[in-house]
């Protein structure tokens, strides 16, 4: 699945050829909050026609080509998949090295480098995305641990390299050259999850928060700006368990049950939530402000002692939260078609190097057919708790 719009187009056109107007209407019904729909739809269709993935019928309808099923492409945002993880970097270019622990057992070393070359006028060029490293260091506070007391053999290691033109991410056996800043961040998260949970049956990762009680979890997939992180922090202050705020992985337990594989990053809070949450978290005023993509956020690291125990448990429900100050709180059951569309819009990524991605997709869809899925509109934390507790 390349992205939300591309995935929906493929699913819609797999049924029958459709006109632009019909495609636009269908996508609007499935994903009314998708931004700049018509311009993105036009661009996507043009690209697919150029690549031979689509044909245009005599009456102006789009028809999937057989070639689309055999086209090999890189992950979204990746310009080049590098043949080796070897990269010439020196300690002088090292910004920081940290150690992270997601699963309670394995520690992963992550080294951040900034590699800049001197301009002909004796000035160093600017990094491709100067905020990437500070933002990641802030986010990973939630899962970072102290450096080993003595040198140990590294089980896993990652290098995150920023230069003037792109970001490169390397593991021991694969590397990626990326020119999409947001995807560089999600690629690092995906690699950390993959290394940490390689033996745990990880099927996919989702842009979601995950909270729970007594080991029973609720998954909260949502777009940026939905109020997901503020909601997560509110629930944690009320004693809910924390499994993730931004990206979580899913693994199957049994044929029709899923669990989250935790990624307890620091919770990213936008300016509007700072005064609302300071009563629960007095540390917020003293946290540094991190700027990225024209936004500001403070990243709240949570108490390791309260949240770091790795628990298994089933996902009781999938809830897509949406904050609306003028709406009455509600919990609306979703049809399977709506659930898939909302998942795609919020963001879902299947294992890039899985031996059988089709089987993973099939298992995910089979689970969604039986999982309780809802859209939750909320305007205060009290109503949220009442609604979510009925689902546990």
């Amino acid at each position: 699945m390349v992205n939300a719009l591309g995935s929906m187009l493929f699913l819609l056109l797999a049924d029958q050829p459709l006109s632009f107007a019909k495609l636009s209407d269908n996508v609007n019904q499935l994903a009314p909050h998708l931004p700049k729909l018509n311009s993105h739809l036009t661009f996507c269709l043009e690209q697919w026609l150029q690549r031979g993935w689509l044909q245009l019928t005599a009456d102006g309808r789009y028809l999937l080509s057989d070639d689309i099923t055999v086209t090999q492409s890189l992950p979204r945002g990746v310009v080049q998949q590098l043949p080796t993880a070897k990269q010439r970097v020196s300690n002088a270019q090292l910004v920081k090295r940290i150690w992270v622990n997601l699963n309670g057992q394995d520690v992963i070393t992550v080294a951040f480098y900034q590699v800049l070359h001197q301009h002909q006028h004796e000035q160093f060029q600017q990094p491709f995305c100067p905020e990437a490293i500070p933002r990641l260091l802030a986010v990973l506070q939630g899962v970072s641990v102290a450096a080993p007391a003595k040198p140990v053999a590294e089980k896993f290691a990652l290098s995150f390299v920023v230069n003037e033109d792109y970001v490169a991410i390397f593991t021991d056996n694969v590397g990626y050259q990326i020119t999409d800043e947001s995807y560089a961040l999600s690629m690092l998260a995906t690699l950390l999850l993959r290394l940490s949970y390689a033996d745990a049956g990880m099927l996919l990762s989702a842009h979601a928060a995950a909270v729970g009680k007594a080991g029973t979890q609720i998954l909260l997939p949502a777009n940026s700006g939905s109020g997901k992180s503020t909601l997560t922090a509110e629930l944690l202050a009320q004693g809910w368990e924390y499994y993730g705020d931004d990206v979580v992985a899913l693994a199957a337990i049994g044929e029709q049950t899923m669990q989250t594989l935790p990624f307890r990053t620091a919770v990213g809070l936008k300016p509007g939530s700072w005064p609302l949450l300071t009563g629960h978290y007095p540390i917020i005023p003293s946290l540094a402000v991190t700027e990225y993509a024209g936004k500001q956020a403070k990243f709240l690291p949570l108490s390791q002692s309260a949240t770091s125990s790795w628990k298994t448990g089933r996902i009781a429900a999938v809830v897509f939260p949406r904050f609306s100050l003028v709406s009455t709180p509600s919990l609306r059951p979703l049809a399977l078609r709506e659930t898939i569309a909302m998942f795609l819009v919020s963001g879902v990524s299947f294992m890039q190097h899985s031996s059988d991605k089709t089987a993973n997709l099939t298992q995910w869809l089979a689970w969604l057919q039986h999982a309780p899925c809802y859209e939750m509109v909320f305007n205060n934390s009290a109503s949220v708790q009442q609604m979510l507790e009925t689902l546990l």
Side-chain angles (χ1 to χ4, degrees), residues 63-130:
L63 172 68
L64 278 182
S65 166
D66 291 339
D67 291 341
I68 195 171
T69 61
V70 296
T71 299
Q72 298 297 316
S73 60
L74 292 169
R76 175 178 60 86
V78 175
V79 174
Q80 180 181 3
Q81 185 164 316
L82 305 170
T84 175
K86 297 185 182 300
Q87 171 81 349
R88 292 183 179 179
V89 290
S90 68
N91 286 336
Q93 296 164 322
L94 178 68
V95 176
K96 192 165 185 177
R97 179 178 282 108
I98 65 172
W99 292 263
V100 301
N101 185 347
L102 273 61
N103 62 12
Q105 299 175 355
D106 301 310
V107 175
I108 301 173
T109 304
V110 187
F112 295 91
Y113 296 90
Q114 186 165 279
V115 181
L116 301 177
H117 299 94
Q118 209 164 21
H119 194 267
Q120 59 181 349
H121 299 301
E122 304 300 322
Q123 292 182 342
F124 284 99
Q125 297 184 9
Q126 291 297 310
F128 163 66
C129 46

Side-chain angles (χ1 to χ4, degrees), residues 5-15 48 64-65 68-69:
L5 179 58
S7 301
M8 281 185 278
L9 286 180
F10 183 83
L11 292 171
L12 290 167
L13 291 171
D15 288 337
W48 287 21
L64 278 182
S65 166
I68 195 171
T69 61

Side-chain angles (χ1 to χ4, degrees), residues 324 327-331 376-380 383-384 387:
S324 175
S327 299
T328 302
S330 63
L331 195 63
M376 179 180 68
V377 178
F378 68 99
N379 55 25
N380 61 74
S383 64
V384 168
M387 288 187 285

Side-chain angles (χ1 to χ4, degrees), residues 273-335:
S273 67
W274 301 344
L276 300 176
L277 294 170
T278 297
H280 294 308
Y281 303 99
I283 192 177
I284 287 177
S286 64
L287 293 175
V289 176
T290 301
E291 298 190 6
Y292 63 95
K295 303 175 185 176
Q296 290 185 325
K298 291 187 175 186
F299 290 90
L300 175 68
L302 298 165
S303 168
Q304 288 289 322
S305 61
T307 65
S308 61
S309 59
W310 194 86
K311 299 177 181 179
T312 60
R314 67 183 180 87
I315 297 175
V318 178
V319 178
F320 296 88
R322 182 166 61 86
F323 177 78
S324 175
L325 198 58
V326 298
S327 299
T328 302
S330 63
L331 195 63
R332 181 177 68 87
L334 296 173

Side-chain angles (χ1 to χ4, degrees), residues 12-36:
L12 290 167
L13 291 171
D15 288 337
Q16 59 183 320
L18 294 172
S19 66
F20 181 90
K22 191 64 175 177
L23 282 170
S24 181
D25 287 344
N26 284 341
V27 175
N28 253 319
Q29 291 176 21
L30 289 168
H33 305 299
L34 201 65
K36 300 179 181 177

Side-chain angles (χ1 to χ4, degrees), residues 12 124 137 161 222 231 305-306 339:
L12 290 167
F124 284 99
L137 290 173
V161 183
L231 173 59
S305 61
T339 299

Side-chain angles (χ1 to χ4, degrees), residues 371-390:
C373 299
Y374 303 87
E375 180 185 42
M376 179 180 68
V377 178
F378 68 99
N379 55 25
N380 61 74
S381 60
S383 64
V384 168
Q385 289 205 70
Q386 292 172 3
M387 288 187 285
L388 294 185
E389 284 177 351
T390 65

